[in-house]
Amino acid sequence: MPTISDMSGKVALVTGAAAGLGQATALCLARAGADICLVDINLAGLQATAREIESLGRRALIQAADLAETSQCATLVKNAITELGRLDALCNVAAVFIPSHTTEMSDADWERTLAVNYTAPFKLIRAAIPELIRNQGAVVNVTSCAAHMGQAYLAAYSSTKAALTHLTKSLAMEYMHQPIRFNAVAPGGMMTALAAGLRNLENPDPSLLSRIAPLRGLNEIDDIAEMVAFLASDAARGYHGAVINIDNGITVG
Ligand SMILES: NC(=O)c1ccc[n+]([C@@H]2O[C@H](COP(=O)([O-])OP(=O)(O)OC[C@H]3O[C@@H](n4cnc5c(N)ncnc54)[C@H](O)[C@@H]3O)[C@@H](O)[C@H]2O)c1
């Protein structure tokens, strides 16, 4: 695993920071010395993450927000810069995962998936770009192995992750000559609340679900978090437009 560089004096905004990979990423960045703006819909989880960050001697700014309300995204970025003094890294980790038979997926679930997983990262990035360029900063988007393979019952989720992958590459191309980096990490299955969502699906065809079963087991949350934090740091200066698969071989075939 590459080593994250010293983040002392730097500030990162991490979405999904109340639990799972977002929380682990925020803690990784804080251990490297960064102050963190924590965004999530789950206030209690944010408070728990903030306590851990403060116990490391770093500052934590809590912004409880529903990212489906994408009109707030610019304000979330502005508040991070105002309250913590600057912004050096934006890690888009939050996502919703609503497995569904396609004919039974509601408009609301479709639109919520697109808003949280795709439109919110775009609007956060758009608002953060000028400050990130000023600070030679970085964006790290968390996608999924689902971006690279058709996955039954996940039409909305996997399409947003494919779109986020392409957004990462398109922005990397557009900002090729600017001091800002755009990269993505595509995890395989991790033992988090999100993954447990598959259990709510009624009458799935097991032969289709077996196609996405991890033959070598699940990924460790901390392994993925360390890669996200590394890409957010100056140590990843050679990474631009990369999509790093850490999926225990799930996308091999
Ligand atoms: N767990 C897996 O198997 C897996 C696999 C591949 C990719 N991923 C990706 O990893 C990332 C992190 O997921 P995780 O596994 O840690 O799941 P998680 O459920 O533990 O964390 C997701 C976080 O996003 C937050 N969130 C959800 N909707 C939100 C909203 N509307 N507004 C603000 N915050 C919201 C949740 O409250 C939660 O804290 C996601 O992008 C997910 O797509 C996860």
Side-chain angles (χ1 to χ4, degrees), residues 21 23-26 28 220-230:
L21 179 60
Q23 182 178 59
T25 299
C28 228
E220 297 295 331
I221 298 171
D222 283 340
D223 290 350
I224 314 288
E226 282 170 24
M227 177 56 79
V228 177
F230 164 72

Side-chain angles (χ1 to χ4, degrees), residues 16 18-21 40-42 65-68 93-96 112 116 142-144 157 161 187-190 192-195:
L21 179 60
D40 203 289
I41 198 170
N42 171 358
D66 180 355
L67 289 167
V93 186
V96 292
R112 187 168 183 78
V116 176
V142 173
T143 63
S144 168
Y157 177 80
K161 294 300 190 177
M190 295 174 282
T192 64
L194 180 137

